[in-house]
């Protein structure tokens, strides 16, 4: 199956535009006084629930957390462990998102923990009608995951 067919198959029951809208709303809550960069994310659980998150920075810098991990942490802490997709929007504060904000390496690995890399869809969006689709496996090939530890 080529890339387009594979993504088309994975994205079937995913409300792409609703996820992007949710991520855009979440981005408004970003706490990013240091970088001035605002990110919003929305994850879809296997049960079709949506959890959102924003980036939250810290004066000590290293405790900062990305929007994607905020969203995943909220969902996991509510008991949801399997996910189908994530939408991500990001860009400098107060500007419309005219760039595609890809997830950082740490967030890719955290998504990997709770997703099948061949099925999970990453939606990197500038807005509701302008987005790119990837499987997690494309963004994190040959990944290390729970199976390596026998889980
Ligand atoms: N950021 C995210 O929220 N997600 C990413 O995947 C990349 C970076 C945030 C972290 C920090 O608050 C700001 O963007 C600049 O790096």
């Amino acid at each position: 199956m080529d890339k387009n067919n594979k993504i088309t198959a994975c994205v079937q029951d995913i409300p792409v535009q609703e996820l992007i809208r949710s991520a855009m709303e979440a981005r408004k809550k970003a706490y990013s006084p240091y970088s001035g960069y605002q990110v919003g994310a929305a994850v879809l659980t296997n049960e079709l629930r949506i959890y959102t998150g924003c980036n939250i920075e810290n004066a000590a810098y290293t405790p900062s957390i990305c929007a994607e991990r905020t969203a995943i942490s909220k969902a996991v802490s509510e008991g949801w462990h399997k996910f189908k997709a994530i939408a991500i929007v990001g860009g400098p504060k107060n500007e419309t998102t005219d760039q595609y904000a890809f997830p950082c390496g740490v967030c890719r690995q955290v998504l990997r923990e709770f997703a099948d890399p061949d099925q999970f869809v990453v939606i990197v969006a500038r807005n509701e009608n302008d987005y790119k689709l990837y499987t997690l496996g494309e963004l994190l090939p040959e990944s290390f995951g729970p199976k390596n530890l026998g889980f």
Side-chain angles (χ1 to χ4, degrees):
M1 210 189 283
D2 70 19
K3 173 181 157 63
N4 285 340
N5 287 339
K6 194 171 177 182
I7 286 286
T8 306
C10 292
V11 87
Q12 288 298 347
D13 57 349
I14 293 172
V16 172
Q17 292 184 317
E18 187 183 353
L19 281 175
I20 295 171
R21 276 196 301 273
S22 301
M24 290 171 78
E25 271 307 301
R27 180 174 175 257
K28 294 178 185 167
K29 308 273 186 355
Y31 176 75
S32 54
Y34 308 109
S35 73
Y37 194 87
Q38 296 181 312
V39 186
V43 288
L44 183 70
T45 72
N46 273 11
E47 299 77 11
L48 305 182
R49 287 169 181 259
I50 294 175
Y51 282 83
T52 61
C54 61
N55 53 329
I56 305 170
E57 297 184 348
N58 187 282
Y61 287 18
T62 52
S64 300
I65 185 167
C66 294
E68 298 90 322
R69 278 177 289 140
T70 303
I72 288 282
S73 300
K74 284 168 65 180
V76 171
S77 65
E78 298 286 330
W80 310 102
H81 290 182
K82 289 286 169 203
F83 300 91
K84 284 177 177 287
I86 188 169
I88 306 159
V89 292
K93 201 171 184 159
N94 299 329
E95 287 180 23
T96 52
T97 46
D98 59 0
Q99 59 179 267
Y100 297 105
F102 282 81
C104 79
V106 172
C107 288
R108 294 178 197 203
Q109 183 65 35
V110 169
L111 293 169
R112 168 68 186 90
E113 184 70 21
F114 301 106
D116 176 344
D118 292 328
Q119 301 289 322
F120 185 87
V121 177
V122 180
I123 305 157
V124 186
R126 297 209 288 201
N127 60 58
E128 227 176 288
N129 301 308
D130 179 354
Y131 55 85
K132 298 181 185 205
L133 300 174
Y134 301 85
T135 64
L136 181 60
E138 288 181 281
L139 299 182
L140 191 69
E142 307 293 354
S143 62
F144 188 89
K147 285 208 174 93
N148 293 94
L149 300 178
F151 290 91

